[in-house]
């Protein structure tokens, strides 16, 4: 799991880190993925957005040894709310956004009844356009205040990886390259997957794409 990956790893062991970002509410695909993981006794960290959380599934994941947690996007949400289209302007509101993150995480934990010891930044259209990621909120002080032991993009974590593969980048080549990485014995391999990339229903992905286009029009970026 993410909290187990530190700077000092056992050189005699190999680590496979499974991460899943639940960007869309495709719970049918998620259940299928979770069922396969249970079959092979694999544990995965699932990061749910506020808009995609599923309490029943999250409890199943927790009971199965996995980790359901928070896929946060407070900086992007703030930009949309106040129609901020300037990097410097949003950076001037980081303290306010961090307070919102802490409140949202507390509410998220309370609602699902789980610890959420790690979190992962969600990447949105506005993050790319402004060149500032949600992860900028995650200072050591914020992590300590919230009891977070790991952010998925922490330098300590990323530097520990010897190979990292993501399905939304590799597309159909993801499976082939993942198998190849396992066969060659990568010491610390991370596989990042998104349900929307795996035969997700057309209507779910279509709604997500329409929402993205409307955001672009609204922000005029």
């Amino acid at each position: 799991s993410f909290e187990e990956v530190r700077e000092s790893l056992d050189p005699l062991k190999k680590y496979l880190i499974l991460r899943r970002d639940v960007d869309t509410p495709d719970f049918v695909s998620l259940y299928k993925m979770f069922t396969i993981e249970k079959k092979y006794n694999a544990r995965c960290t699932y990061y749910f957005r506020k808009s995609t959380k599923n309490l029943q599934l999250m409890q199943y994941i927790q009971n199965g040894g996995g980790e359901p947690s928070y896929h946060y996007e407070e900086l992007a949400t703030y930009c949309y709310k106040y129609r901020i289209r300037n990097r410097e302007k949003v950076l001037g509101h980081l303290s306010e956004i961090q307070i919102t993150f802490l409140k949202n995480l507390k509410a998220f934990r309370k609602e699902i009844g789980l610890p959420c010891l790690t979190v992962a930044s969600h990447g949105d259209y506005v993050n790319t356009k402004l060149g500032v990621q949600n992860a900028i909120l995650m200072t050591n002080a914020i992590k300590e205040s919230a009891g977070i032991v790991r952010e998925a993009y922490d330098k300590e974590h990323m530097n520990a990886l010897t190979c990292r593969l993501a399905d939304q980048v590799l597309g159909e080549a993801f499976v082939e390259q993942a198998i190849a990485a396992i066969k060659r014995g990568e010491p610390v391999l991370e596989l990042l997957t998104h349900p929307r990339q795996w035969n997700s229903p057309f209507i779910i992905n279509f709604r997500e794409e329409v929402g993205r286009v409307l955001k672009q029009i609204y922000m005029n970026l």
Side-chain angles (χ1 to χ4, degrees), residues 117-204:
L117 298 179
T118 75
V119 294
S121 168
H122 174 62
D124 198 283
Y125 159 79
V126 74
N127 296 116
T128 301
K129 283 297 182 179
L130 297 185
V132 55
Q133 300 303 312
N134 291 291
I136 198 172
L137 303 175
M138 210 53 49
T139 62
N140 289 333
I142 290 295
K143 286 192 288 186
E144 183 177 350
S145 174
I148 295 170
V149 301
R150 176 68 73 206
E151 207 285 340
Y153 294 102
D154 279 349
K155 289 183 179 179
E156 294 83 359
H157 173 80
M158 299 298 286
N159 291 340
L161 303 177
T162 59
C163 181
R164 183 179 186 273
L165 303 175
D167 57 357
Q168 84 273 33
V169 175
L170 296 173
E172 294 182 359
F174 174 80
V175 173
E176 179 181 328
Q177 293 199 29
I179 293 174
I182 293 172
K183 285 185 175 180
R184 68 174 176 262
E186 284 289 347
V188 188
L189 170 63
E190 179 178 315
L191 301 179
L192 169 59
T193 53
H194 301 72
R196 67 171 302 181
Q197 303 289 334
W198 298 84
N199 296 317
S200 186
F202 169 79
I203 189 62
I204 291 178

Side-chain angles (χ1 to χ4, degrees), residues 20-46:
R20 188 152 297 127
D21 288 357
V22 188
D23 292 344
T24 56
D26 179 9
F27 302 128
V28 173
S29 296
L30 277 176
Y31 272 107
K32 290 179 180 178
M33 291 176 170
F34 176 67
T35 300
I36 293 172
E37 288 160 6
K38 284 190 65 177
K39 178 180 178 180
Y40 293 99
N41 197 31
R43 296 182 300 160
C44 178
T45 298
Y46 289 72

Side-chain angles (χ1 to χ4, degrees), residues 10-28:
D10 188 339
L12 299 180
K13 292 183 179 180
K14 290 183 174 59
Y15 299 84
L16 174 60
I17 303 160
L18 302 178
R19 167 183 164 188
R20 188 152 297 127
D21 288 357
V22 188
D23 292 344
T24 56
D26 179 9
F27 302 128
V28 173

Side-chain angles (χ1 to χ4, degrees), residues 51-62:
S51 61
T52 64
K53 62 181 180 293
N54 181 310
L55 304 187
Q56 184 181 49
L57 177 56
M58 295 169 90
Q59 193 61 59
Y60 284 159
I61 294 169
Q62 181 75 13

